[in-house]
Amino acid sequence: MATEYLYSDLQEFDYHQWNNLHFRHAQQGAEFTQEEFNSIFTDLTYTTALSDGTTRVELLPGGENVNATYEDRWKYTDLALRARLGESVLQICAIRAGMCSIVSERAIGFLTPAELELKVCGRPGLDIKLLRSRTLYAPKEKYSEDSQIIKDFWKVLYEISDEERAKFLQFAWARTRLPSDMNAQRMQLSILEAEDADKRLPTSETCFFNVNVPHYSDIDIMRARILYSIECMSITF
């Protein structure tokens, strides 16, 4: 599972510094000339700020008192990159130790970082077709794929944005992704009959992946109630 750090990795969590370490114009893309470098980086020393924005570390012994020059700018870039990409080594080692206490280190070693992420976090985005194939309807003697309200429900999910679909999953089972293997999972969609259905909101039982939807009179009301419910998931107290 070990992989070499890449320059582009820094871009994923600190675009500003990643861009600065190119020593080039943001718009034109051309590298700074020596004159431009000297006028812009007048006090650049062999130090860099870490992710908390306040902690600064020296990139070489006494680096706080050593100026980075135009001639050795790429040396500075290399050292700054190594410092930033290595600042979480202790935390990552602790995470690895915890994982290896559950799954053998040898087994984890067969996986690439992308494969491990997929196993742990599931696939990004909501595969509606997959979720639909793993959904049960209740009461089962009354509702099926052919019921209009069931069709309306899936139409709403197809029409909303990817971000809203992630919020729906968070609402439905407290996660924003489906697992990598859905064979052992299923969602139950229960349609609730009530005289004042249009005034009610959907509810969920996240431990069981159950979603309860009132029998709304039309799809527009259903869409509005579902969106209201999933947006309220972002409210914290």
Side-chain angles (χ1 to χ4, degrees), residues 139-220:
K140 62 181 181 180
E141 62 274 6
K142 189 171 184 179
Y143 296 102
S144 68
E145 279 273 348
D146 297 324
S147 303
Q148 186 58 49
I149 191 165
I150 301 299
K151 293 178 180 179
D152 289 346
F153 172 81
W154 292 114
K155 189 172 189 297
V156 168
L157 284 193
Y158 274 114
E159 292 176 346
I160 62 179
S161 67
D162 289 340
E163 181 181 358
E164 289 166 336
R165 291 173 186 167
K167 289 181 178 180
F168 169 78
L169 280 179
Q170 184 74 39
F171 170 79
W173 81 317
R175 306 179 192 181
T176 57
R177 297 185 179 192
L178 292 175
S180 57
D181 183 2
M182 276 290 289
N183 291 327
Q185 298 289 342
R186 64 100 187 97
M187 181 176 80
Q188 177 169 298
L189 178 60
S190 299
I191 305 301
L192 307 180
E193 303 284 352
E195 291 184 2
D196 58 347
D198 286 350
K199 298 180 181 180
R200 295 174 178 265
L201 293 172
T203 60
S204 64
E205 298 152 6
T206 56
C207 292
F208 305 102
F209 206 173
N210 294 344
V211 177
N212 309 306
V213 176
H215 198 300
Y216 297 115
S217 59
D218 63 57
I219 190 172
D220 292 330

Side-chain angles (χ1 to χ4, degrees), residues 3 7 12 50 63-64 85 107 113-114 117 121 130 139 141 178 216:
T3 58
Y7 185 45
E12 296 185 8
L50 300 183
E64 187 176 5
L85 296 181
E117 179 185 7
C121 303
L130 175 60
E141 62 274 6
L178 292 175
Y216 297 115

